[in-house]
Amino acid sequence: MRELFEPVTVGALELPNRLVMAPMTRSRAYGGLTTELTAEYYAQRAGAGLIVTEGTQPSVIGQGYVNTPGLHSPEQVAAWRKVTDAVHEKGGRIVVQLMHSGRIGHPVLYPDGALPLAPSAIASGQKLFTPDGMLDHPTPREMTAEDIAQAIEDFAAAARNAREAGFDGVELHGANGYLIHQFLADGSNRRTDAYGGAVAARIRFAVEAAEAVADAIGPERTGIRVSPGAAVNGITESDTAELYPALARGLAPLGLAYLHVMETGDRESTRAIRAAWPGALILNPHPGTDPLPSTPEAGADALREGLADAIAHARLWLANPDLPERIAAGGPYNEADPATFYGGDHRGYTDYPSLGA
């Protein structure tokens, strides 16, 4: 699988291999701050061609889960700086994923008890996990024009904070049913203004958010992730085949570093996006309906086809901090423990053994 180990240029970054660590929420940022344990976790995985961090809220109202990190205060910037320093000391490259959760939030997460925001006042139908039990997501407040402008500025401000914190770039989370995806999907966006209705209007928020971040830190350090057809967090799309190539074409003039596609079993959709996207494409490959996680073999196949420029894995990185060495050796691979995915301490976080051990 030599293709996985070839260097590649992605925007401003020279990656020594094509193995990307995908973003994974771990819910260990108590009080919204990353810790020394966070720094150890990411530094252990610095052999990745690129690390994309867990989803990080760009604002207070952008938070969607308990114990997730932010990047909107000086304290959060300082905490993240310890993480980026640790990764860079190991020779790695790291970008932060900015995730505004939109309607996937709850008043208990916000000091003022506000309703979460969304393009339309349509509840997700999902629940929030809290230490006190599961809570239904409420019907969100439909965003005004001022709310939309503020959310876009929050993304840009968080991107500037990311550079101050030492990150090599920013990835906007436009996937998995969060705010940008809520604007894209017709099941969650019933607006009748310039941000809703036809595909050209529903992609507008994503394009404007990407443009604002690119203006703030440079397009060569800006990426965006999408998940075409992903029916998660209550999302429904009736026009996936049209929507995502149109989004790729809308983003193309910005000259972004990359487009990151979370594939959901629709290889033809991925091929259509690739045809519409002129820049680097990172793929989390799931060409069929096989269960997670994706495999190194699927990644190598996608590179050989020319479908992607780099390959993202999630659970494989979670359980195998030395993933490149394990792939080169043909395994074996540690099995991830779902009981330790979210919250907790070092167990299931920084204690997965290396191949040498």
Side-chain angles (χ1 to χ4, degrees):
M1 290 188 282
R2 63 187 183 278
E3 296 88 355
L4 295 169
F5 297 95
E6 296 171 349
V8 64
T9 300
V10 176
L13 303 180
E14 300 290 333
L15 310 188
N17 62 61
R18 300 181 185 229
L19 290 163
V20 176
M21 179 178 169
M24 291 175 282
T25 291
R26 304 306 307 275
S27 295
R28 285 169 166 85
Y30 302 104
L33 297 173
T34 53
T35 66
E36 296 291 344
L37 203 61
T38 316
E40 180 182 357
Y41 168 73
Y42 285 114
Q44 287 176 341
R45 291 153 178 80
L50 179 66
I51 293 171
V52 185
T53 74
E54 61 212 272
T56 300
Q57 52 260 18
S59 61
V60 171
I61 199 67
Q63 185 172 357
Y65 301 99
V66 297
N67 301 324
T68 52
L71 201 46
H72 52 82
S73 75
E75 294 79 12
Q76 291 164 347
V77 170
W80 271 118
R81 185 78 205 202
K82 296 177 182 177
V83 177
T84 61
D85 284 349
V87 170
H88 291 148
E89 286 170 7
K90 291 288 189 71
R93 293 138 302 277
I94 183 168
V95 300
V96 64
Q97 187 188 68
L98 295 181
M99 182 177 86
H100 190 307
S101 296
R103 69 182 185 177
I104 306 301
H106 197 282
V108 300
L109 297 171
Y110 317 127
D112 61 358
L115 285 172
L117 302 178
S120 297
I122 302 172
S124 71
Q126 308 297 302
K127 294 179 181 291
L128 169 72
F129 170 82
T130 76
D132 297 322
M134 302 295 287
L135 302 176
D136 291 326
H137 287 147
T139 299
R141 179 169 67 80
E142 181 171 313
M143 295 172 75
T144 65
E146 291 75 18
D147 292 326
I148 291 173
Q150 184 62 58
I152 290 170
E153 172 51 32
D154 288 341
F155 278 127
R160 290 188 288 269
N161 285 343
R163 291 294 284 150
E164 184 179 347
F167 283 104
D168 298 303
V170 161
E171 176 179 288
L172 287 172
H173 199 342
N176 295 356
Y178 301 113
L179 183 63
I180 292 176
H181 197 180
Q182 290 161 30
F183 271 93
L184 294 173
D186 54 356
S188 51
N189 183 351
R190 305 289 176 80
R191 301 179 71 91
T192 58
D193 62 3
Y195 291 92
V199 165
R202 281 185 278 124
I203 68 172
R204 180 178 175 183
F205 181 78
V207 173
E208 289 185 354
E211 184 176 26
V213 170
D215 287 345
I217 65 170
E220 72 281 2
R221 296 187 181 275
T222 303
I224 186 170
R225 190 181 205 221
V226 296
S227 56
V232 294
N233 283 322
I235 284 290
T236 57
E237 299 172 354
S238 69
D239 51 7
T240 300
E242 177 188 1
L243 176 62
Y244 288 92
L247 176 62
R249 290 189 292 270
L251 293 167
L254 302 181
L256 302 183
Y258 66 83
L259 176 63
H260 183 176
V261 178
M262 170 63 185
E263 198 171 40
T264 55
D266 185 356
R267 183 48 58 92
E268 288 309 307
S269 176
T270 305
R271 292 190 177 107
I273 294 168
R274 179 62 160 175
W277 178 249
L281 190 144
I282 299 172
L283 180 67
N284 188 230
H286 293 91
T289 56
D290 294 337
L292 295 173
S294 60
T295 65
E297 291 79 9
D301 288 344
L303 290 176
R304 281 192 289 271
E305 183 182 334
L307 194 61
D309 299 285
I311 300 298
H313 292 291
R315 291 192 195 187
L316 281 175
W317 277 110
L318 185 154
N320 299 278
D322 56 344
L323 184 61
E325 287 80 4
R326 289 178 181 270
I327 292 175
Y333 301 102
N334 297 322
E335 290 292 327
D337 176 15
T340 59
F341 281 0
Y342 307 108
D345 53 20
H346 69 286
R347 289 168 291 185
Y349 192 52
T350 58
D351 65 347
Y352 285 104
S354 65
L355 189 60

